Amino acid sequence: MDFAWSDENDAFRTKVSDFLDQNLPNDWQAIARHGPGSREQTEFSLSFCPQLAAAGFLVPHWPAEWGGADRPTWEHFILGEEMWAAGEPRGGQYMNVNWIGPVLMRYGSEEQKHRYLPPMAAGRAIWCQGFSEPGAGSDLASLRTKALRDGDDYIINGQKIWTSYAGLAETCFLLARTGEGRSGIAVFLVPMDTPGIEVRAIPSLIGHGDIHEVFFTDVRIPSSCRLGEEGEGWTIISYALANERVGIPRYEMSSRELDAMVAELKSRGGFGNAAIRTRAAEAAAACDAARMLVYRVVDERARGEPPGTAANLARVAVVEADHKVTDFGMDFLPDCYSGSDHAAFQAHHERAIVTGIAAGAAEIQLNLVARRHLDLPKGA
Ligand SMILES: Cc1cc2nc3c(=O)[nH]c(=O)nc-3n(C[C@H](O)[C@H](O)[C@H](O)COP(=O)(O)OP(=O)(O)OC[C@H]3O[C@@H](n4cnc5c(N)ncnc54)[C@H](O)[C@@H]3O)c2cc1C
């Protein structure tokens, strides 16, 4: 494969990285220590994303009609790589620009688009994604939260779990059941201050306030909150998830952490051993493989092709790269994972633990690769 960035792409990357160098505050590293999904980073995004928006670096790939600049898909991706390399200062708002906004543009009513897209493009909207439930994670289609029609309203009852950003979000992109099976699932855009919604933080190793349980008890919302038609929920989330799966270029963060680990080892005179160098090379190769597979998906998207199995392969490769880098650090720099001198390594390690679970378990992606890509029979 002959792959190279154009001069225009390189110039755009330099502009983004210069902007980050000049505008991230001095205490950014302390905020970034909490991780891209943290409450701290998401709160920070409410002041930083408006700056990105003003500089044209928040939604350049969106149509001008909705605050974008009709820039190519690849620029959006370069932007994502630079954000992740810097520790993701967009916090939870990366979801808005990557998939919630585009999904609303495709399936939303005019009223929904006018209500939700301008605040997203201005960098002032926090959303959460209400998909997983106790007993319905990998097997999402078995979700049980119900939306019962009552005149011109729906009444929602049920529970979501592991919901990121729910403690700060104004709106939930909620999946609920209006009937049986996959055709009985609908998407609702639910204001989080609607009476009957209760959010409880789940303490976890990645920090307090990162993930939540969300309870819905007789939550009454108007039918204008439904996105698309009643039977259309599964189609909408399939489209959304295809965008979400490669929307997080963690290989960029992993590859820069690996460089920092190698630099640390060199400064200690500890990078001469062939076994250590081989492991570093394997981790670097895994990051590059993930990058190339993700680029394949972006290329398909840029050509307007429908999402295929490349997205599943790419997601597995991203998880593997993350794990290889973190295993390298744990094996050869174990002392860096206690104390406070190497906060970035520690944050990377904590996130790598959950990377194969959040946004869909990696094993499920392997099942999809086996069936759709390798054509293996189900259950083989
Ligand atoms: C940090 C974090 C943030 C998250 N944020 C959100 C969020 O914002 N919104 C949201 O809706 N959800 C969120 N999730 C939930 C996430 O999407 C689910 O955890 C994930 O889909 C797995 O579902 P589960 O937890 O029910 O595990 P299960 O589906 O029960 O899986 C448990 C284990 O069994 C394996 N397994 C299950 N079925 C199979 C199979 N058929 N073949 C092989 N292996 C299988 C899985 O790979 C996994 O290792 C988040 C999770 C984490 C960790």
Side-chain angles (χ1 to χ4, degrees):
M1 181 169 62
D2 183 17
F3 178 84
W5 294 107
S6 67
D7 290 345
E8 201 186 354
N9 290 153
D10 283 337
F12 180 73
R13 188 183 290 280
T14 305
K15 268 203 244 167
V16 176
S17 102
D18 286 352
F19 180 88
L20 292 174
D21 284 349
Q22 285 156 18
N23 290 285
L24 282 171
N26 292 336
D27 62 347
W28 165 243
Q29 283 311 324
I31 299 168
R33 162 69 185 93
H34 295 282
S38 66
R39 189 181 178 94
E40 286 80 357
Q41 256 166 264
T42 297
E43 257 167 9
F44 171 77
S45 78
L46 286 169
S47 61
F48 194 67
C49 285
Q51 282 179 257
L52 285 172
F57 291 144
L58 191 63
V59 290
H61 59 300
W62 282 18
E65 183 190 2
W66 296 114
D70 294 300
R71 298 300 300 164
T73 306
W74 280 106
E75 271 190 15
H76 167 56
F77 217 74
I78 291 169
L79 190 73
E81 287 188 336
E82 291 305 306
M83 294 295 158
W84 277 84
E88 189 45 287
R90 297 173 301 181
Q93 292 198 53
Y94 86 88
M95 293 199 307
N96 305 356
V97 302
N98 280 5
W99 66 267
I100 301 180
V103 166
L104 295 189
M105 284 174 219
R106 190 172 178 131
Y107 295 100
S109 65
E110 283 311 303
E111 191 227 318
Q112 287 167 339
K113 289 186 218 177
H114 280 98
R115 174 170 177 184
Y116 292 118
L117 293 174
M120 278 188 203
R124 298 183 196 284
I126 308 289
W127 284 64
C128 62
Q129 168 190 316
F131 292 2
S132 308
E133 297 182 4
S138 301
D139 184 13
L140 191 55
S142 63
L143 66 90
R144 285 179 302 179
T145 293
K146 278 206 167 56
L148 274 186
R149 188 82 194 221
D150 182 33
D152 200 32
D153 293 341
Y154 283 93
I155 299 173
I156 299 178
N157 278 288
Q159 183 197 342
K160 296 290 165 178
I161 195 165
W162 315 123
T163 322
S164 307
Y165 322 115
L168 294 170
E170 297 121 27
T171 320
C172 180
F173 191 99
L174 180 79
L175 288 189
R177 190 162 279 300
T178 53
E180 299 300 316
R182 287 188 179 184
S183 58
I185 294 174
V187 174
F188 296 91
L189 312 176
V190 183
M192 288 295 281
D193 60 0
T194 314
I197 299 180
E198 187 195 348
V199 177
R200 290 186 205 154
I202 304 175
S204 78
L205 66 83
I206 54 169
H208 190 81
D210 276 37
I211 42 180
H212 309 80
E213 292 176 287
V214 186
F215 297 88
F216 295 82
T217 310
D218 293 330
V219 174
R220 181 177 284 275
I221 51 166
S223 59
S224 58
C225 288
R226 197 188 63 230
L227 180 69
E229 299 304 320
E230 272 200 4
E232 214 176 5
W234 198 256
T235 310
I236 296 175
I237 50 161
S238 302
Y239 175 76
L241 288 176
N243 282 289
E244 159 92 332
R245 262 177 206 128
V246 294
I248 307 178
R250 270 192 65 96
Y251 56 80
E252 190 65 36
M253 193 185 257
S254 297
S255 127
R256 295 196 195 191
E257 289 308 326
L258 180 65
D259 288 347
M261 289 169 184
V262 169
E264 178 68 25
L265 280 165
K266 282 183 177 165
S267 75
R268 298 176 180 195
F271 197 59
N273 179 312
I276 297 181
R277 295 167 79 96
T278 304
R279 284 278 304 280
E282 282 171 4
C287 292
D288 272 353
R291 179 192 304 280
M292 287 303 138
L293 283 163
V294 168
Y295 286 176
R296 202 170 121 193
V297 181
V298 179
D299 185 47
E300 284 177 358
R301 198 179 298 165
R303 291 166 197 262
E305 290 172 17
T309 51
N312 308 114
L313 280 166
R315 165 120 171 84
V316 173
V318 169
V319 171
E320 219 155 81
D322 237 1
H323 288 177
K324 277 211 158 47
V325 170
T326 203
D327 286 352
F328 178 80
M330 290 294 275
D331 286 349
F332 301 117
L333 290 164
D335 56 296
C336 292
Y337 292 84
S338 57
S340 56
D341 289 348
H342 297 280
F345 292 172
Q346 292 166 18
H348 181 264
H349 175 244
E350 285 164 13
R351 302 288 147 172
I353 293 173
V354 295
T355 195
I357 306 170
E363 290 81 1
I364 302 303
Q365 303 303 314
L366 286 172
N367 285 349
L368 293 171
V369 171
R371 288 221 307 280
R372 296 181 189 163
H373 190 70
L374 301 174
D375 219 9
L376 294 173
K378 199 173 177 181

